[in-house]
Amino acid sequence: QVQLVESGGGLVQAGGSLRLSCAASGRTINSYLMGWFRQAPGKEREFVARIRWSGGSTYYADSVKGRFTISRDNAKNTVYLQMNSLKPEDTAVYYCAFANNDLRAGVRAYEYDYWGQGTQVTVSS
C-alpha cells in the first residue's frame, strides 16, 4: 500500500502562483511514476503533469506547459507542482497519483495505482 498526502492548495488571484506538494509513504520502490491530475466541477479528471522517479523525465499537458513545473525530492519521497501564471480555468481539485511501474506513459488516470485525497485550487479573475 502507498499513501499520498497532498498540501498547498488555496485561493489565488489570476497571474499568481501556488506550489502543491504530495508526500508518498508506504511500500514505495525506486522505479515508479508520479503525476498530477485535476478535476473541475462537471468535467472529467484530466492529466496535468507526470515525472518518472528514475531519471526524472517529465511530461506536461499542453494547457499547462510553460507555466507549471513538476519536480521531486528523492530523499523525502515528495513530488511538487509549481504553478505560475495561474488562470481562472486552472480552478479545480488537484490530485496526486502514484504508479508502481515507471514504464507507463502516465497520461491516463487508469495507469495509476494510488491516489491522494485532492486539494482545491481556486483562481479568481
Side-chain angles (χ1 to χ4, degrees):
Q1 281 286 351
V2 173
Q3 294 79 43
L4 302 174
V5 178
E6 300 148 345
S7 60
L11 172 65
V12 66
Q13 288 189 333
S17 299
L18 282 174
R19 189 177 82 154
L20 306 182
S21 301
C22 175
S25 62
R27 297 185 64 182
T28 58
I29 56 175
N30 289 331
S31 295
Y32 52 89
L33 197 65
M34 290 191 75
W36 288 96
F37 286 72
R38 66 187 182 186
Q39 188 166 18
K43 295 188 176 181
E44 293 187 354
R45 190 168 298 190
E46 66 172 357
F47 168 76
V48 176
R50 67 97 172 115
I51 186 166
R52 299 191 193 283
W53 216 255
S54 177
S57 71
T58 58
Y59 186 76
Y60 298 90
D62 287 343
S63 59
V64 307
K65 202 173 296 183
R67 299 188 298 123
F68 291 11
T69 303
I70 188 170
S71 61
R72 74 199 193 289
D73 183 326
N74 289 9
K76 296 181 179 179
N77 273 349
T78 298
V79 65
Y80 303 97
L81 185 68
Q82 177 66 45
M83 305 184 295
N84 298 329
S85 302
L86 283 161
K87 304 175 181 180
E89 51 263 44
D90 293 318
T91 295
V93 177
Y94 282 70
Y95 295 91
C96 172
F98 177 100
N100 286 318
N101 186 339
D102 73 346
L103 297 180
R104 300 171 188 168
V107 297
R108 295 284 185 263
Y110 65 77
E111 297 180 279
Y112 291 85
D113 303 293
Y114 300 96
W115 291 84
Q117 79 284 0
T119 185
Q120 177 70 47
V121 171
T122 302
V123 184
S124 64
S125 57

